[in-house]
Amino acid sequence: MKMCNPFVLQVQDLPERGEVGRSCVRNVRLPESFGVELYTIPAGSEVHLDLNLTSAQEGILVSGTVRATARGRCSRCLRDFSAQMNENMAELVFFPERVRELTAQGDTQAADFPVISEDTLDLEPLVRDALISAMPFTPVCEPDCRGMCSGCGQLWKDLPADHSHTLPDSRFAALDGLFLQMQAERESEGDQ
């Protein structure tokens, strides 16, 4: 059987019991982007997998690290940046008969467990979960990013230390409008 998807592994060499294992080290390209709104790993990006596959009574334990380069947009200053992700993962992929047993015993979550299918194990959903669960919802380009000045929109890091804006007191906005209206009326009377 020819394997086209680099995320899919043949696991018929791992017995169902006995804690026998093997390593899996490979680089794969993502077929689609993984991520959240401001932080993603784009489609076509390379992901490095350094995993151990260990047979267990209920399935195969997949553990190890996943490394990739993410692209983000800083939630404070809106600059684009790149960040290295190096995430640990440990996930049990169940034998199909074990999922059937758990379902028959009334386990309502068993249907959502990852399952070995036809002696193959698909790593893609496991890798996606490991990476996405580690992604920040409000990413920052640098831990000490101060963002942008709300008055002028410039980056705080590019502004002098004494930078400030004098904002009008909104309580007097109506009076300011009345003053401008009266001033305009006086000028129009003076033109006549």
Side-chain angles (χ1 to χ4, degrees):
M1 179 174 158
K2 184 178 177 184
M3 299 304 297
C4 297
N5 185 340
F7 281 102
V8 176
L9 304 176
Q10 291 288 334
V11 291
Q12 70 270 18
D13 60 324
L14 292 174
E16 290 191 20
R17 289 166 183 43
E19 296 187 12
V20 175
R22 68 174 156 110
S23 64
C24 171
V25 178
R26 62 174 59 181
N27 293 321
V28 295
R29 296 229 176 255
L30 293 183
E32 60 185 41
S33 64
F34 293 171
V36 293
E37 187 174 346
L38 296 176
Y39 204 80
T40 62
I41 301 170
S45 297
E46 189 172 86
V47 176
H48 179 76
L49 308 175
D50 188 355
L51 305 173
N52 291 308
L53 309 175
T54 307
S55 64
Q57 186 171 353
E58 308 230 328
I60 296 175
L61 177 64
V62 179
S63 61
T65 58
V66 179
R67 288 193 304 272
T69 302
R71 292 188 187 157
R73 173 155 290 177
C74 183
S75 60
R76 294 181 187 162
C77 70
L78 302 180
R79 287 186 302 167
D80 292 331
F81 68 95
S82 295
Q84 295 299 314
M85 296 186 73
N86 188 19
E87 306 307 323
N88 293 321
M89 66 177 285
E91 184 82 40
L92 183 62
V93 182
F94 287 82
F95 295 121
E97 58 274 3
R98 183 61 182 142
V99 170
R100 284 191 292 273
E101 290 170 11
L102 292 169
T103 303
Q105 294 170 4
D107 188 334
T108 58
Q109 297 177 351
D112 296 328
F113 292 164
V115 178
I116 296 165
S117 175
E118 299 178 9
D119 291 328
T120 63
L121 191 153
D122 187 359
L123 296 172
E124 186 175 351
L126 308 179
V127 169
R128 182 185 322 108
D129 288 351
L131 292 171
I132 290 177
S133 66
M135 291 180 173
F137 286 105
T138 53
V140 290
C141 58
E142 299 169 6
D144 60 346
C145 177
R146 294 176 47 211
M148 297 185 298
C149 171
S150 61
C152 63
Q154 298 295 314
L155 296 176
W156 276 112
K157 73 177 193 85
D158 296 339
L159 295 171
D162 62 347
H163 178 77
S164 66
H165 294 275
T166 304
L167 300 175
D169 190 334
S170 62
R171 296 174 295 178
F172 297 108
L175 290 176
D176 290 340
L178 182 58
F179 173 75
L180 292 174
Q181 180 184 356
M182 290 173 59
Q183 189 175 21
E185 288 173 2
R186 278 191 215 131
E187 288 175 5
S188 69
E189 289 173 3
D191 291 339
Q192 293 178 352

